[in-house]
């Protein structure tokens, strides 16, 4: 009984999604697939003060513009720690605003799953050095704990 009710609800939602007007998202000429390789995540509560970076991230993302200077995006990738117990993954989604042709700022919500899961609200920025290479910086805080993260890295866009 429950299984058939779930199937019926999923069918109704699927038909509703097909009937919705998604044309505002169909601007494929400016869509962009990218790889962002962070040089490291500098944790706010480091266990070893001599360690500069604790976790390394390599994300693949996709963004598409919804307005001329505003893009929505989603990223995901592995998280590799300096110690074996820090391996995991991260996923984030957010909004970017293009301040100039070479500078953008944004905000995102990130889920970082390593030895200790963290949910972060982040402010981020990216400075394009070339059309394919960008310097990135993110500052995140956890709404559920006192964790703070500073992320510095390079982004490769293609």
């Amino acid at each position: 009984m429950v299984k058939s009710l779930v199937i019926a609800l999923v069918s109704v939602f699927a038909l509703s999604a097909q009937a919705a007007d998604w044309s505002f998202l169909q601007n494929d000429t400016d869509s962009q697939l990218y790889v962002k390789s962070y040089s490291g995540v500098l944790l706010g509560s480091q266990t070893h003060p001599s360690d500069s970076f604790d976790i390394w991230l390599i994300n693949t993302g996709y963004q598409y513009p919804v307005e001329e200077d505003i893009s929505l995006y989603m990223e995901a990738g592995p998280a590799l720690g300096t110690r074996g117990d820090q391996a995991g993954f991260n996923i984030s989604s957010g909004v970017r605003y293009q301040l100039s042709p070479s500078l953008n700022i944004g905000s995102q919500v990130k889920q970082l799953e390593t030895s200790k899961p963290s949910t972060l609200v982040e402010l981020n920025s990216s400075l394009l050095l070339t059309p394919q290479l960008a310097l990135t910086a993110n500052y995140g805080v956890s709404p559920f704990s006192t964790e703070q993260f500073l992320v510095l890295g390079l982004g490769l866009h293609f």
Side-chain angles (χ1 to χ4, degrees), residues 80-155:
L80 305 171
T82 54
R83 299 184 317 257
D85 65 340
Q86 288 182 317
F89 69 93
N90 74 95
I91 186 167
S92 60
S93 180
V95 175
R96 287 193 182 111
Y97 179 71
Q98 194 78 32
L99 289 174
S100 72
S102 62
L103 179 65
N104 66 52
I105 60 171
S107 64
Q108 67 186 15
V109 175
K110 176 181 281 185
Q111 182 67 29
L112 181 61
E113 294 283 338
T114 56
S115 58
K116 183 173 87 173
S118 300
T119 301
L120 302 167
V121 177
E122 292 186 345
L123 297 175
N124 56 53
S125 63
S126 179
L127 176 64
L128 287 175
L129 302 175
T130 70
Q132 289 80 31
L133 181 66
L135 289 175
T136 61
N138 296 8
Y139 175 71
V141 295
S142 174
F144 307 112
S145 69
T146 59
E147 288 181 307
Q148 297 180 14
F149 286 65
L150 177 62
V151 180
L152 305 171
L154 293 174

